[in-house]
Amino acid sequence: MSTSTKLQGTVFSVIVIISLSHFLNDMLQSVVPSIYPLIKDSLGLSFTQIGMITLVYQCTSSILQPLTGYFADKRPRPYSLSVGMLFSFIGVLLLAFSQQYLLAVSFIGLGSSIFHPTASRVVQTASGGKKSLAQSIFQVGGSSGTALGPLLAALIVLPFGQSAISVFSMAAVIASILLLKAGSWYAASLKAALSYQKSRHVTECDLSKRTKTAVLALLVFLVFSKHFYTACITNYYTFFLMEKFSQSVRFSQICLFVFLGCTALGTLIGGFLGDRIGRKYVIWLSIFGAAPFAAAMPHLNLVGTVICASISGFIIASAFASILVYATDILPDHVGMIAGFFYGLMFGLGGLGSAFFGWMADKTGIIFVFYVSSLLPLLGIFAGFLPDPQRKTGKI
């Protein structure tokens, strides 16, 4: 990073551009689960088929993201951010004007796989050392977009039908234009920024190779517990409210919006705390701390269910920024690959979780699914076994 860049510290203008693009990207992606009630009724799909659509979308991103992250580390392409948005643009139009849902979600997943690894690299380059905060600002953009998607779907897609999805294609166009500016900044500072990051971080973690492997395996396990739970809520919360409390699709979508909005707020606060109290403790308190509210949710009335779901979403969402930055602290020379791996893992586990819980819902009913999924945050107790490199070597 150049001397001027080092002196100015955290480049919030670039982080905000990337976060806003993440907002637009994830807003249009969240349209996919938001239209499930519409296409389920119109096409007579089963919960298993709904889960398979999500699985294809998530696997497209999860399989490709580590690969695109690897190439982002080896041969960075700053303007690939804008290119990725064009794939999402094509996917949204296919979703709006055809019944080729698997092809449509594949394009959207491909756009996501290109966007996230390079965007994470840009955010860390612009962080000025405040990596958890920068990552959380980036992540909260995506969480906010994910939260807004179901609300917009309730207001736009449900009243006007499938073709109205095309409105969301404008989000991809706007994001692509914004990312040209971020790509220009990244291209101008890339060589010096990578050199500065390497000299600053490469010797900060002195864990053994075996310990690093064990730590990464434990992080994968924690991501599983977090994202299997959130996949259940994100994809089937509306069906749960409709079946257990006889609520309308519109009201259920609004409740989903509240849940996802709480996850966005939790993401930002989790990143803020990660730089201050330590990323290990944020991960531990985030996942395990959500357990009491998640476990209580299926047993309460409508008001209690919505409150506990929202609180559990707020708490558990605070973990991801700290998990991702913790992993890049362990392997600081592979930021893009690690970001691609964990974003891919997040999407892949979300897809597997959606397919699994869809199958379970067909076999046992949607209410039983929520009894099972509510136990997953208890697995967060294993975060206590993570080492604390921030305490050992100083703030990273």
Side-chain angles (χ1 to χ4, degrees), residues 51 54-55 58-59 228 231 347-358:
T54 303
L55 179 61
Q58 305 287 25
C59 285
F228 250 58
F347 288 128
L349 288 175
L352 288 173
S354 177
F356 172 75
F357 288 124

Side-chain angles (χ1 to χ4, degrees), residues 12 30 39 45 51 75 78 90 94 111 116 174 177 182 200 253 255 261 270 323 336 341 358:
F12 281 107
S30 70
I39 63 174
L45 301 181
R75 302 185 67 179
I90 295 171
L94 286 173
H116 286 101
I174 295 170
I177 294 171
R200 180 185 178 101
Q253 293 281 21
C255 291
I323 289 173
F341 173 76

